[in-house]
Amino acid sequence: MCLFCKIINKEIPSEIILEDENFIAFHDINPKAPVHILAIPKSHVNSFNDVSSDMMAGMTIFIQNIAKEVDIDKSGYRVITNIGDNGGQEVKHLHFHVLGGAKLAWTHLSDSNPKAFL
Ligand code: AMP
C-alpha cells in the first residue's frame, strides 16, 4: 500500500484540513510555503496522467474549499501537481500541492539551465 493510501486509512498520522467521501487534504510534512497542503483522492490514482475528468471536477471544488477553509482564497495561492520523474513526483499517488500564505517566488522551474535545451 502506498504512503498516501496509508494516510487515507489513518495508518500514518496526518494533520487533516478537510475530508469528504472522495478526497482528503492534510498539511505537507515538509512545507515549502507558510501554507502547504496536499489534496488527494481517496481512491488510488498514480498521477495526473491517469485521472478522470469526473474526478478532476470533484477535486476542483475540493481545492477551492481548502482555499476558503484556510483563508487564502482572496490573497491567492498556487496549485501544482508533479508528474513522473521529470516533474519531480516522489509519491506515486495523485496529489495537488496547495501553496499560499505569502507572495510565492517563481524559480527553480528546472535544475538545469532551460536555455541549454534550446
Ligand atoms: P511530490 O514530490 O510532488 O511527490 O510531493 C510529495 C510531497 O509529500 C512532498 O512535498 C513531501 O514533503 C510530502 N510528504 C511525504 N510524506 C508525507 C507525510 N507523511 N505527511 C505529509 N506529507 C508528506
Side-chain angles (χ1 to χ4, degrees), residues 3-4 7 26-30 32 38 82 88-91 95 97:
L3 176 69
F4 286 174
I7 286 180
F26 53 91
H27 285 291
D28 194 294
I29 205 167
N30 182 22
K32 294 177 178 62
L38 299 174
N82 296 325
Q89 184 182 7
E90 286 173 10
V91 180
H95 53 282
H97 299 260

Side-chain angles (χ1 to χ4, degrees), residues 40-115:
I40 68 175
K42 286 189 172 174
S43 48
H44 184 92
V45 173
N46 287 324
S47 82
F48 187 76
N49 275 340
D50 302 315
V51 72
S52 68
S53 53
D54 271 1
M55 183 180 275
M56 279 309 298
M59 179 60 92
T60 299
I61 293 166
F62 188 67
I63 291 172
Q64 290 166 349
N65 288 339
I66 293 168
K68 285 182 203 135
E69 179 72 24
V70 298
D71 203 25
I72 57 171
D73 56 322
K74 302 281 193 302
S75 53
Y77 58 102
R78 187 172 294 160
V79 179
I80 297 173
T81 188
N82 296 325
I83 302 145
D85 287 345
N86 278 359
Q89 184 182 7
E90 286 173 10
V91 180
K92 306 296 192 260
H93 182 126
L94 174 66
H95 53 282
F96 291 86
H97 299 260
V98 181
L99 300 143
K103 192 104 179 160
L104 300 170
W106 186 250
T107 55
H108 302 302
L109 289 177
S110 170
D111 290 338
S112 316
N113 176 5
K115 292 193 173 152

Side-chain angles (χ1 to χ4, degrees), residues 7-27:
I7 286 180
I8 291 160
N9 288 343
K10 314 281 193 309
E11 289 172 33
I12 291 178
S14 67
E15 286 182 66
I16 295 171
I17 304 289
L18 211 59
E19 180 171 8
D20 68 16
E21 195 188 337
N22 299 313
F23 305 102
I24 185 165
F26 53 91
H27 285 291

